[in-house]
Amino acid sequence: MPTYSGRISSKLPHVGTTIFTVMSRLAAEHSAINLSQGFPDFDCAQELRDLVTKYFNAGLNQYPLMAGVPRLREAIAEKVETLYGTRYDSEHEVTVVPGATYGIFTAVATLIRPGDEVILFEPAYDSYGPAVEVNGGVPVYVQLKYPDYSIDWAGVQKAITARTRMMIINTPNNPTASVFSGEDMRMLEAMLRNTGIVVVSDEVYEHIVFDGHQHQSVARFPGLAERSFVVSSFGKTYHVTGWKTGYVLAPKELMAEFRKVHQFNSFVANGPIQHALAEYMQNKDAYRSLAAFYQRKRDFFLECLKASRFKPLPSRGTFFQNLAYDAISDERDMDMALRLTKERGVASIPVSVFYREPPAHRVLRFCFAKSDETLARGAEILSRI
Ligand code: PMP
Ligand code: GLN
């Protein structure tokens, strides 16, 4: 084994292995029911697998265009216009990327220079802070208000300085399962007017919003769309998280800069998968039925937990249900999550890992993108605690 003997000054000294890898590995080691990392334990549609096979066999195995397969970009632009009323030009304003994480990272790398401040909401999805820091930026955190994780707009206003270059928002939100309201978006639109702040809007759960609410894409708000990168992913929408295919939308001036970075990073996303997705997107039912599909799973999981001492927090979108456990233990959530996995056989994610300093409240995040049988077994164990 070679050994590096030079000095390494880490660009991310505080970062270890992601909690998702840690908990999934621990779940496997202890044969625990894995409700930690967010991915479905059921397969994607047969039709979609057949389409990928078709395009793998159709001689489309070389580099696609840098910005993405044209008919997929067109299908994305049409969907966004239908749903959110804004037309993005598929030639200049839509780019297909190898996953949303990559899209967010590339948007940050495109604009952030050393010392630039980026506003993030805490708890923050785990890739945001490191993406900012590795590019020399300074994350500035605004706390979401527990227990409904609403936004402290006065706090956001206070966090804005002359050095603020960007804000990363995420609705529906991971890990809190909260959603921005139309009023939130109008507040944001008004607050950013006459500033040079660019928004990166992580909308990977755009089709998973519950109880009749609407997804508030920045694409619905002209004052936001004109300053935003909208990032989404096919992973959550079609149950294909392992395909790592997503897309980014932005006004062409921003997108031109984004593509300069993208072309020297991955350059393209997987070609045959793009062709398959373009054809599959003609089936609009697949995303239209998604919210009802996951709402039923949320309700099923909650019903199975009725007798439990865990206390559900509101889950308004995403495929996560947070549970508080004040009535059970005063352990730290990390300890609780480790113990539940090792001793009881149910893995979850401790929400404190999405904060720099553990907050006073203690909450575990459970993923309900699982078969009913898995959810019932997991809930049954939780109900005995
Ligand atoms: N953003 C959020 C909020 C997520 O939850 C996830 C993945 N679960 C991603 C981005 C990453 O999406 P992708 O796998 O397409 O990179
Ligand atoms: N976003 C997924 C989750 O929240 C995990 C993705 C990953 O493992 N990086 O659980």
Side-chain angles (χ1 to χ4, degrees):
M1 237 199 289
T3 309
Y4 179 69
S5 58
R7 206 179 67 82
I8 299 175
S9 166
S10 175
K11 291 182 81 175
L12 295 173
H14 313 296
V15 168
T17 307
T18 83
I19 189 69
F20 308 120
T21 304
V22 169
M23 291 310 294
S24 279
R25 192 167 36 197
L26 195 70
E29 263 168 41
H30 292 269
S31 305
I33 297 169
N34 188 1
L35 305 183
S36 65
Q37 194 176 15
F39 63 89
D41 73 348
F42 39 85
D43 211 345
C44 64
Q46 178 69 49
E47 189 191 339
L48 186 50
R49 279 177 281 149
D50 290 344
L51 284 170
V52 176
T53 311
K54 173 174 132 184
Y55 287 107
F56 273 128
N57 288 328
L60 291 164
N61 295 308
Q62 310 312 325
Y63 295 127
L65 291 182
M66 183 265 276
V69 164
R71 67 178 176 138
L72 178 57
R73 280 186 274 143
E74 191 49 39
I76 293 165
E78 269 173 31
K79 180 179 91 164
V80 170
E81 183 174 20
T82 306
L83 292 178
Y84 310 130
T86 295
R87 179 75 197 176
Y88 286 86
D89 166 18
S90 66
E91 181 63 23
H92 301 290
E93 300 179 332
V94 180
T95 301
V96 182
V97 292
T101 314
Y102 173 99
I104 294 159
F105 189 94
T106 305
V108 172
T110 297
L111 290 185
I112 295 306
R113 293 194 161 87
D116 284 347
E117 292 178 2
V118 179
I119 294 178
L120 304 177
F121 293 90
E122 203 168 41
Y125 182 62
D126 71 339
S127 82
Y128 302 161
V132 171
E133 285 171 37
V134 91
N135 286 293
V138 180
V140 174
Y141 291 91
V142 177
Q143 305 285 314
L144 295 174
K145 290 187 277 187
Y146 185 79
D148 63 353
Y149 297 107
S150 55
I151 298 156
D152 169 13
W153 285 112
V156 177
Q157 182 70 71
K158 256 195 259 158
I160 294 177
T161 73
R163 290 181 300 280
T164 309
R165 183 75 186 103
M166 183 179 276
M167 179 184 293
I168 304 182
I169 63 172
N170 170 219
T171 183
N173 185 267
N174 180 8
T176 69
S178 60
V179 297
F180 278 51
S181 66
E183 190 47 34
D184 287 325
M185 300 305 274
R186 280 185 285 278
M187 288 291 283
L188 183 61
E189 192 176 34
M191 204 171 275
L192 298 187
R193 197 171 290 140
N194 304 322
T195 74
I197 299 171
V198 167
V199 175
V200 173
S201 182
D202 179 349
E203 303 187 12
V204 301
Y205 299 100
E206 63 183 316
H207 301 299
I208 316 180
V209 177
F210 306 136
D211 307 319
H213 293 294
Q214 256 191 348
H215 169 56
Q216 299 299 339
S217 174
V218 291
R220 288 183 193 275
F221 300 85
L224 291 174
E226 68 179 26
R227 61 173 69 247
S228 295
F229 289 101
V230 183
V231 182
S232 195
S233 174
F234 293 102
K236 324 286 161 186
T237 304
Y238 296 140
H239 314 311
V240 290
T241 60
W243 289 10
K244 293 301 296 184
T245 308
Y247 57 87
V248 178
L249 316 168
K252 68 174 183 303
E253 297 74 13
L254 286 175
M255 188 55 90
E257 291 302 312
F258 179 95
R259 287 181 181 174
K260 287 184 192 174
V261 179
H262 166 60
Q263 68 185 344
F264 296 122
N265 197 358
S266 84
F267 175 53
V268 287
N270 182 301
I273 283 180
Q274 292 190 53
H275 285 281
L277 286 168
E279 188 165 335
Y280 192 64
M281 277 185 81
Q282 306 312 316
N283 167 11
K284 307 214 165 29
D285 278 351
Y287 63 80
R288 284 196 191 127
S289 58
L290 197 67
F293 173 82
Y294 276 124
Q295 184 170 323
R296 196 201 62 76
K297 284 209 176 283
R298 177 200 64 178
D299 292 345
F300 177 75
F301 186 50
L302 288 176
E303 181 62 29
C304 295
L305 281 170
K306 232 172 40 194
S308 153
R309 291 191 295 161
F310 283 93
K311 182 173 159 283
L313 300 178
S315 170
R316 302 200 166 95
T318 74
F319 44 46
F320 301 114
Q321 175 64 57
N322 286 318
L323 300 177
Y325 56 90
D326 305 342
I328 300 174
S329 162
D330 56 9
E331 255 173 306
R332 291 185 327 151
D333 60 357
M334 181 58 109
D335 297 333
M336 180 78 169
L338 294 175
R339 201 166 59 78
L340 279 184
T341 309
K342 292 182 198 166
E343 294 175 12
R344 303 294 189 131
V346 183
S348 58
I349 297 287
V351 170
S352 66
V353 300
F354 303 104
Y355 291 83
R356 286 153 308 158
E357 297 292 330
H361 52 270
R362 284 147 194 222
V363 176
L364 298 175
R365 190 200 79 175
F366 293 82
C367 173
F368 55 78
K370 307 293 168 189
S371 71
D372 285 3
E373 197 223 322
T374 309
L375 293 174
R377 279 196 299 131
E380 205 236 327
I381 296 173
L382 296 174
S383 298
R384 281 193 264 114
I385 294 169

